[in-house]
Amino acid sequence: MRHRVSRLRTRALAVGLALAASALLPSGSAGAADSYEWAALGDSYTAGVFVGAPQPPLGDASRDGCDRTENAYPDVVERELAEFPPGKPVNLTNVSCGGAVISDIATTRQVPISPVRPPEGGWPAVDTQIQRAGLGEGTDVVTIGVGGNSLPFAGILTTCLEKGTVGQSCRDYFTDPPEGEESIADKLARVRDEYIEMLAQVHEAAPNARVVTVGYPAVLPEDSGDCNRLSFTELSLITHADVDWLRDDVLKPLNRTIQQVSNFFGDRYVDVYSSSEGHDVCQPADTKWVEGICGDAADFWPAKVPGVPLNCGLIDKKLTLVHPNAEGHANTAAHVERAIRIALLER
C-alpha cells in the first residue's frame, strides 16, 4: 500500500507538472510528431526475464532469446505513460536483452542466452541495441540499464559461492587476484571507460534525445547477518564477510561509476538503490524485491539450465540467480517513470 500511494503521488505530481508546462507552450510548439519516442536499452535487470509473460510470446517467430517480459519496468512505465501530455502518447521500443554487456549497446552483436525454448543450434546473434532501437534524430528519450554483466557481477557472485563452499574469501581473491584475473579495481575502471564510450555513441546516434541511466537496486542486505547460509532462496554459502564486500566494494561502486559518468554527460541518473534498501535477497519472501539463487518465477522459467550444477526444482523453485521480482520492477518503474516525465518536459 505504501508503495502504491508513493506511485500515485509521483504520478499526480508529474501530471500536474506536465499540464502546467503544456499550458505555457506556444500553440504548435509541443512537437510535430504524433508521439514521443522512447527507447529502452539494457540487460536482464531491464528485460525482466521471469517476471511476466514473454514478449514476444512463446511460439512467436520473432522471439530473439532476450527474455523481455511483461511486468518488467519498461512495460510498467509504458502503461503509465499512455498519454503525455494528454493526447500525445509515448511510444516504447524495448530492445533490452538478458546477458547484455555495455558493448552490446553500441558496438558488438550479442548472442542471446535465453534458456527458454532455444532453437536448435542456439539463438542467432542480434544487432547492437542502438541499431535495433532505431535511434535517430526523432528519438525523444533513451533509458539505459546496463553495466553489471561487464564486471561481470554474476561471475563474481559465482566465485564467491565457490569460495564460500570451501571456507575461502572471494574478497581476497579479487583484491589480489591470480595472473589472468582482473582485480575489482581494474574491473570498475574498465567498466567506467566502456560506459563513457557507450554514452558517447548513444548521444551521437540520438542527438536530440534526453538520456536516462538506471542504476542497480539493493540486491544485498546492509546487514549480512540477515543472510541464511543454508538457504538457496538467498545467497546460499557465500560468507557474510563476502556479502559485505560485494555490497560495499562491488555493487555500490558500480552504481557510483554509472552516476559519475552520467553526470559528466549531463544525463539523468535514476537511483533505485536507496528506495530498495530493506527489500534485498536475504529478506522474507513477502518483503524481498530480489529473488535468490533459487526463487519464485513465472511457470515457463526453468529450474535448471545446462552448465549450471544446480537444480532448484528440488526445492520447488526456479533458477532465478539474484534478479528482481515483479515488486522490484514496480519500484524501479516508479522512479524511471518520473525521470522520463521530467525528461520530456525538458524537451
Side-chain angles (χ1 to χ4, degrees):
M1 179 60 72
R2 180 178 60 190
H3 179 62
R4 181 172 180 272
V5 170
S6 176
R7 282 184 56 78
L8 290 173
R9 288 174 178 168
T10 297
R11 194 177 321 143
L13 174 60
V15 170
L17 288 171
L19 292 174
S22 62
L24 296 174
L25 293 173
S27 177
S29 67
D34 293 331
S35 64
Y36 289 110
E37 296 300 319
W38 164 30
L41 319 180
D43 57 25
S44 56
Y45 273 56
T46 298
V49 295
F50 57 72
V51 298
Q55 293 182 327
L58 297 180
D60 192 299
S62 65
R63 283 191 70 226
D64 55 10
C66 284
D67 287 326
R68 292 178 297 276
T69 60
E70 292 180 1
N71 298 326
Y73 75 77
D75 183 71
V76 176
V77 174
E78 182 186 28
R79 293 195 294 266
E80 299 296 342
L81 293 177
E83 291 188 348
F84 179 88
K88 188 169 181 179
V90 176
N91 180 50
L92 168 63
T93 301
N94 182 3
V95 295
S96 58
C97 195
V101 296
I102 294 170
S103 62
D104 294 330
I105 301 297
T107 60
T108 58
R109 302 183 78 233
Q110 178 185 358
V111 177
I113 57 173
S114 174
V116 181
R117 302 185 190 179
E120 186 175 353
W123 299 101
V126 295
D127 287 333
T128 67
Q129 294 191 24
I130 281 180
Q131 292 174 302
R132 300 187 83 195
L135 298 192
E137 293 187 355
T139 305
D140 295 290
V141 63
V142 180
T143 58
I144 309 170
V146 74
N149 292 324
S150 292
L151 282 172
F153 187 77
I156 295 172
L157 199 73
T158 299
T159 299
C160 289
L161 180 59
E162 293 171 350
K163 296 294 182 183
T165 301
V166 294
Q168 297 178 359
S169 167
C170 71
R171 173 181 55 190
D172 293 344
Y173 178 87
F174 286 108
T175 301
D176 184 19
E179 185 177 354
E181 176 67 72
E182 290 178 304
S183 69
I184 189 60
D186 288 340
K187 289 176 184 293
L188 289 165
R190 175 176 49 77
V191 165
R192 178 200 60 211
D193 293 344
E194 292 176 358
Y195 213 94
I196 289 171
E197 179 63 23
M198 180 270 292
L199 278 186
Q201 291 175 292
V202 168
H203 280 281
E204 182 178 5
N208 300 317
R210 299 289 183 177
V211 176
V212 176
T213 63
V214 184
Y216 290 89
V219 302
L220 304 164
E222 288 301 305
D223 182 356
S224 59
D226 289 347
C227 295
N228 177 0
R229 295 191 63 210
L230 299 178
S231 176
F232 278 94
T233 61
E234 298 180 10
L235 297 170
S236 186
L237 295 173
I238 297 177
T239 68
H240 290 165
D242 280 343
V243 171
D244 290 332
W245 175 79
L246 284 164
R247 181 191 64 242
D248 293 334
D249 288 39
V250 182
L251 182 56
K252 287 183 177 180
L254 173 61
N255 277 338
R256 284 197 298 269
T257 297
I258 295 171
Q259 183 174 17
Q260 288 165 358
V261 175
S262 302
N263 291 345
F264 175 80
F265 279 88
D267 296 329
R268 186 177 300 279
Y269 171 76
V270 176
D271 169 26
V272 295
Y273 190 100
S274 300
S275 59
S276 58
E277 287 185 272
H279 297 281
D280 55 81
V281 67
C282 293
Q283 302 308 313
D286 61 351
T287 303
K288 64 169 62 183
W289 292 351
V290 182
E291 298 299 316
I293 295 171
C294 301
D296 295 326
D299 289 342
F300 67 86
W301 197 251
K304 178 176 174 57
V305 298
V308 178
L310 178 65
N311 183 1
C312 295
L314 296 176
I315 57 172
D316 198 27
K317 296 292 180 181
K318 305 287 188 171
L319 187 66
T320 47
L321 296 177
V322 193
H323 279 76
N325 56 30
E327 288 80 9
H329 276 275
N331 178 67
T332 299
H335 296 279
V336 172
E337 178 191 344
R338 180 177 182 274
I340 292 175
R341 288 184 181 274
I342 292 171
L344 292 179
L345 285 174
E346 292 173 340
R347 287 189 53 74

